Structure formats: structure tokens, C-alpha cells
Amino acid sequence: MELEAMNSREDWPDETEEAKTESPPKTCCDKIHETISNWILPTNQRDTYLERANCLPPPIFIISVSIAELAVFIYYAVWMPQKQWITLDTGVWNSPFIYRPDKREEAWRFISYMMVHAGVQHIIGNLALQLLLGIPLELVHKGHRIGLVYLAGVIGGSLASSVFDSGLALVGASGGVYALIGGYFMNVLVNFKDMIPLFGIFRILVIITIVGTDVGFALYRRYISHETGQKVSFVAHFAGGLAGMSIGYTVFSCFDKNLIKDPRFWICIAAYAAFVIFAVLFNIFLSPAP
């Protein structure tokens, strides 16, 4: 009997070895990355992300852009003689940042308009969206990819506005924000089967609600509202969203691959470049704007 007991004990697993193979407890940073991966990535990509997840570099691009936009808004709302908290007026209209059709030869305005916003509601909406979505996206895809998508939306937004709404000025970072939303939306849509169905439906409904509300408010302000101040274009919303649904989707769908080797990326870049060239030529030779 004793011999049988000893033999049975030899078959028992070594408790010290079990202790060695136990995974270390999850840190707060690990839990954050796990939550982010659930929101941003489909199931088949989460393990790859979690194996290499870290907070270095931090989401510098989206935070820096947000701070700069907030600083410019505070400058025009607090320190300028024409303090403008609510709407676009003389001070912002004369800003070197705003895109104006009569100043379109100053090429930097096609990008710098993202720094200026038409009131406190405008800046709060854009900052909230780009921080809530942009920080998780940048932690996964890193700043150079987020910057590419964001700026593609900003430039595409101003060029589209100069072509399709050529008589109006343009302010705000909506082009860049909608590029992030468009890229994220396409990834949720394409990878819907790899996500928890109800969770995927919830995300799509949230995106549609936010975009519908924001675009509805922009259309109201453009065509219905009789508030004083200058009217601004809303075309950048749509153009930024299209940039995100093409370039953004390609960038966000291959976070663990070399983007340069993805033929989809070059197809999107070629289409985007063709639009940019057309818009530039339109502004030089065909634009009815002064």
C-alpha cells in the first residue's frame, strides 16, 4: 500500500512548476490595452497586439493637435478684442489660419483652418470626438499612421470645399475627425463577424448617431439658422469621411503589417493624389471664387 501511495504521489504535478507557469497578474496598463483592443481590433488580431502592446510612444500626435486647437480657440475667445465664444465673427474671419476663398493663394490655409473653430460648441464637439477615438487608435496604430489619416482628412476637406462649396470659408478640424471616424467605421463594418454581434451593432449605432447629429447641426447652421456671423462650409465633413473610409480603412486594417507593401494603400494614395491634383488645377484655372 505504501509503495502504491508513493507511486501515486510521483504522478502528482509539481506545485512549484505550476507556480512558475502561472501568468503574472495583469497590471493597470495591461487592462487598458485589453480594453482598447476590444474596441479597436477584430478578435483575430487582438492577441498579436497584446503581445507587443506598450505605451511608448504615447499618443503624442492627437494630444498635441488637440492642445494646439484649444490654445488657438482660447486666444480668439479671450485675448482678441473681438471675443468670440459662440460664433464666427470679425476676429476669426481675419485670422491667418482660416480658409477663405479670396485668400486661397495662401496655401497653408488649406491645412491651418483646422486650428480655428466657430464657437465653443464646435471646438468641444471636435475635441471630444478626436480624443475619445484618436487616443485608442494612436495607441494601436502609432502617431505616424494616425497623423497620415488625420491630415488626409484635413487637406481633402479643404480641397473638396474649395471645389464644391467654393464661395464659403472653412474652419474646424472636422475633416480630420471624420477621417478617423470613417476609417474606424469601415473596420467595424468589414470585420463585423469577428466582433461580438451586439457590441458591433452598438458601435455602428453610436457612430451613426454622432455623425448624424453633427452633420445635422452643420446643415442647420449652414441653411436654416439666422444667427449673425459668417457662414462656413460643411463639405469637409463628407470629404474627411471619404478619406477615412479609403486611406483610413487601409491603414487601420493592417496595424501589424508593413503598410508600404500593401497594394491597397497605394491604390488609395493614387486615387487621393488624383483628386488633389484635380482640386489644385480647379482652384488655379476654373474656380468661380474671387
Side-chain angles (χ1 to χ4, degrees):
M1 293 291 290
E2 287 184 352
L3 183 59
E4 287 181 4
M6 290 176 63
N7 289 335
S8 63
R9 288 193 187 98
E10 288 177 0
D11 295 334
W12 292 353
D14 190 344
E15 293 181 0
T16 58
E17 289 183 3
E18 274 191 8
K20 290 179 182 177
T21 57
E22 286 182 0
S23 58
K26 292 182 180 180
T27 64
C28 180
C29 188
D30 293 333
K31 293 178 181 178
I32 290 173
H33 283 295
E34 188 172 338
T35 302
I36 288 173
S37 69
N38 290 336
W39 274 96
I40 301 299
L41 297 170
T43 307
N44 58 351
Q45 295 181 356
R46 291 172 191 166
D47 290 339
T48 304
Y49 168 70
L50 292 173
E51 286 174 3
R52 67 173 198 179
N54 60 70
C55 294
L56 296 175
I60 295 174
F61 175 81
I62 205 69
I63 291 176
S64 299
V65 167
S66 300
I67 292 173
E69 291 167 0
L70 181 60
V72 170
F73 175 77
I74 291 173
Y75 172 73
Y76 283 104
V78 176
W79 285 296
M80 286 292 288
Q82 304 89 3
K83 296 180 174 60
Q84 295 165 190
W85 285 95
I86 304 302
T87 188
L88 181 67
D89 212 330
T90 309
V92 173
W93 182 256
N94 293 324
S95 167
F97 295 117
I98 187 176
Y99 168 76
R100 285 170 48 179
D102 60 326
K103 299 280 188 180
R104 67 185 187 281
E105 70 277 1
E106 298 173 352
W108 71 83
R109 292 176 182 264
F110 285 88
I111 299 177
S112 63
Y113 78 94
M114 73 179 190
M115 307 299 293
V116 187
H117 287 79
V120 66
Q121 292 177 327
H122 195 198
I123 183 91
I124 288 176
N126 278 343
L127 288 183
L129 286 174
Q130 73 184 28
L131 287 172
L132 288 173
L133 183 58
I135 288 177
L137 283 172
E138 188 167 347
L139 284 171
V140 174
H141 300 286
K142 304 307 177 185
H144 62 290
R145 294 190 175 196
I146 296 301
L148 172 65
V149 175
Y150 190 89
L151 292 177
V154 168
I155 296 171
S158 57
L159 288 174
S161 180
S162 71
V163 172
F164 298 106
D165 212 354
S166 57
L168 291 184
L170 186 63
V171 294
S174 296
V177 173
Y178 273 70
L180 298 181
I181 294 174
Y184 178 66
F185 175 76
M186 282 299 294
N187 272 277
V188 172
L189 206 60
V190 171
N191 298 304
F192 187 81
K193 291 182 180 179
D194 294 325
M195 298 178 178
I196 302 171
L198 288 178
F199 195 28
I201 292 172
F202 170 75
R203 276 185 277 197
I204 291 174
L205 289 176
V206 168
I207 293 171
I208 291 174
T209 301
I210 291 173
V211 170
T213 302
D214 188 53
V215 171
F217 181 71
L219 291 172
Y220 168 80
R221 191 169 53 193
R222 170 73 167 83
Y223 293 110
I224 300 174
S225 175
H226 300 292
E227 65 182 14
T228 59
Q230 303 288 342
K231 297 288 186 180
V232 294
S233 175
F234 62 89
V235 175
H237 293 72
F238 298 103
L242 289 175
M245 294 172 74
S246 54
I247 295 176
Y249 164 67
T250 305
V251 171
F252 296 160
S253 65
C254 56
F255 86 99
D256 58 341
K257 300 175 185 176
N258 189 338
L259 193 61
I260 303 300
K261 296 181 179 179
D262 190 336
R264 298 176 304 167
F265 174 71
W266 292 111
I267 292 171
C268 291
I269 290 295
Y272 185 85
F275 164 73
V276 169
I277 292 170
F278 166 77
V280 170
L281 294 176
F282 179 89
N283 275 278
I284 294 173
F285 299 110
L286 301 173
S287 177

